[in-house]
Amino acid sequence: MMAGMTGEETRTAMSPPIRSSAQDAELRPPATRAWMTRVVIIGIVLTALNLRPAITSLGALLEEVRDGLGMSGSFAGLLTSVPPLCFAVFGVMAPRLARRFGPAAVVCAGMVAIAAGLAIRPFAGNTAGFLVASALALMGIAVSNVLMPVIVKRWFPDRVGSMTGLYSMALALGTAAAAAVTVPMTRALGGSWHAGLAVWAGLAAVAVLPWIPLVRARGTALSADAAPASASASAPAPASARAASSASAAGQEPSPLRITRSRTAWALAVFFGLQATAAYITMGWMAQIFRDAGVPAGTAGLLLAVTMVMGVPLAFVIPRLATRLPHQGPIVVALGVCGLVGYAGLYLAPAGGAWAWALLLGIANCAFPLALTMVGMRARTGAGVAQLSAFAQSTGYLISIPGPLLVGVLYQHSGGWGLPIALMAGLMIPQIVVGILAGRDRTVEDEAARRR
């Protein structure tokens, strides 16, 4: 996600010094600017609420979906591998689409895609149709994942922390709500898993509405060159931006960083991939693990919700703590130990200590905000952050694809959860190791320069 944000910033910095839409925004009446700002905030919150229910609502009803569609355990594992694949493939397209159509238009289209995919997939009638409709919804999630930080940065440059916190809280809330209420809502709708999954399309449809006036307001609606009215249009550009602009005017492109020469970049990419693997295995399979241990379906959904909601408070705490430490290894180890204890509990007493294991695994899954924080700390320049973020996230999501699929295969062929849980715990060890390496106080620019 950060790759989209920093890429947009770099592109904007390299634009010729003509009057921008930010300067146009300054000429608008304050009431108009305030109205648009409120609409953007509503759009951000509603969009964030829709970025995970497509995944966690399916996890809560995976057994019913498998039985209804005659889906094998291996295919169910494939289904839980689709989200990271879509995020890796479609997320790369988001910055290019935003440059052509504007971020608001792309996010609006993303919400339409989510609504359409969630409405179609329960009634597709077969596993192939279910998979294609799920991919449509995940495509909308992927582009919105990338562009939401761009929108936050451009409209609220002086409130990035608070707005990112609001966005993260809404994302975690949507994730947890879908896990917690999908099963009881399905029962209230007559017990049909089709209705229980399709109802989330309504929330996505509502999220389309605030983006429509922003797309129509062409000169002000988060276009590729837009900047918020709160940013000072007359503020002098930083030296790096002036240098980039001069290079662009001269027809020269700044030399790209050879990111693959940095050991820290590789460590961070693997760390990102392993934490994403754990997250998608958890979202796709944890409710089923509890249900197979005898936990009622509704309670299993609540346990998954507890795991997901842990990201709300810790998303604020962990990044702030990480930036105060010269080495982020201790945080990596603490999160990893929580994961190992949680997996041991799932193996030994999945039902007896279910709430404790859900809590510990929720803490372990907060490696995601730590990974994003380290992306910003391990590069010295804006261009370096952009390249490192793109490399770490694209490589990491590709690494995470086989994990959920392998869990499904192991579950089907072993007839139990012993081997899948052992795999989850085993992956936590290399995650700790590469996280310690990625947390060292160094920059990818220095490492790439030394290895030339």
Side-chain angles (χ1 to χ4, degrees):
M1 293 191 293
M2 292 176 65
M5 177 177 68
T6 50
E8 286 288 306
E9 289 173 342
T10 303
R11 193 188 63 75
T12 303
M14 295 176 65
S15 301
I18 60 176
R19 195 176 87 168
S20 68
S21 53
Q23 292 168 306
D24 292 336
E26 291 292 343
L27 300 177
R28 289 191 200 95
T32 301
R33 296 199 303 270
W35 174 82
M36 291 186 65
T37 299
R38 287 193 291 270
V39 172
V40 172
I41 293 173
I42 294 171
I44 288 172
V45 172
L46 288 175
T47 298
L49 286 171
N50 281 279
L51 294 183
R52 293 299 181 269
I55 303 170
T56 52
S57 63
L58 176 59
L61 294 174
L62 188 57
E63 182 176 330
E64 288 79 2
V65 174
R66 286 177 57 193
D67 293 341
L69 297 178
M71 192 183 297
S72 68
S74 298
F75 194 92
L78 174 63
L79 192 62
T80 56
S81 295
V82 169
L85 175 62
C86 289
F87 293 166
V89 173
F90 296 121
V92 174
M93 302 163 48
R96 183 178 300 176
L97 292 172
R99 285 194 293 270
R100 181 169 182 180
F101 302 106
V106 178
V107 172
C108 184
M111 293 299 104
V112 172
I114 294 172
L118 295 185
I120 294 170
R121 76 175 181 178
F123 308 102
N126 54 63
T127 55
F130 191 94
L131 184 63
V132 171
S134 295
L136 175 62
L138 292 167
M139 178 177 65
I141 295 172
V143 295
S144 301
N145 269 341
V146 172
L147 294 179
M148 290 305 292
V150 179
I151 292 171
V152 168
K153 178 69 174 178
R154 290 187 175 278
W155 276 80
F156 307 98
D158 53 344
R159 289 184 284 165
V160 170
S162 59
M163 291 305 301
T164 301
L166 179 65
Y167 159 75
S168 300
M169 184 180 298
L171 190 151
L173 180 61
T175 305
V181 307
T182 296
V183 171
M185 189 163 53
T186 300
R187 291 171 179 164
L189 293 172
S192 169
W193 64 265
H194 305 81
L197 291 182
V199 71
W200 294 103
L203 181 62
V206 173
V208 174
L209 301 178
W211 298 108
I212 295 175
L214 295 169
V215 173
R216 288 179 175 174
R218 295 186 62 88
T220 65
L222 298 173
S223 66
D225 297 317
S230 57
S232 175
S234 60
S240 58
R242 291 196 301 269
S245 181
S246 299
S248 177
Q252 301 173 350
E253 294 291 335
S255 59
L257 176 69
R258 303 215 172 180
I259 198 74
T260 56
R261 298 190 177 210
S262 167
R263 292 176 180 174
T264 296
W266 279 106
L268 190 50
V270 176
F271 178 72
F272 193 96
L274 291 175
Q275 66 81 27
T277 299
Y280 287 110
I281 289 174
T282 298
M283 284 189 282
W285 289 107
M286 197 177 83
Q288 189 64 50
I289 293 174
F290 285 126
R291 291 181 67 173
D292 287 351
V295 176
T299 304
L302 286 175
L303 289 165
L304 179 58
V306 168
T307 300
M308 298 296 104
V309 84
M310 287 302 299
V312 176
L314 292 181
F316 287 98
V317 175
I318 289 176
R320 295 180 182 182
L321 178 61
T323 55
R324 295 176 182 176
L325 296 176
H327 193 307
Q328 288 72 50
I331 304 178
V332 171
V333 173
L335 297 178
V337 169
C338 287
L340 289 172
V341 175
Y343 289 133
L346 278 183
Y347 181 81
L348 296 172
W355 294 100
W357 316 142
L359 185 67
L360 287 169
L361 291 174
I363 296 172
N365 279 345
C366 289
F368 175 68
L370 176 61
L372 292 183
T373 304
M374 289 197 291
V375 166
M377 298 180 69
R378 296 287 86 87
R380 189 171 54 250
T381 64
V385 171
Q387 286 187 254
L388 177 59
S389 179
F391 176 75
Q393 293 202 47
S394 60
T395 305
Y397 278 129
L398 289 174
I399 290 172
S400 71
I401 292 171
L405 174 60
L406 187 54
V407 166
V409 172
L410 290 175
Y411 173 59
Q412 179 176 356
H413 289 283
S414 68
W417 287 107
L419 284 178
I421 292 173
L423 171 66
M424 300 176 211
L427 291 176
M428 190 61 67
I429 302 300
Q431 178 178 320
I432 294 172
V433 173
V434 294
I436 292 172
L437 294 176
R440 294 175 298 175
D441 187 12
R442 55 193 64 192
T443 64
V444 293
E445 289 93 346
D446 293 341
E447 289 186 341
R450 285 197 300 268
R451 296 175 63 85
R452 284 178 184 172

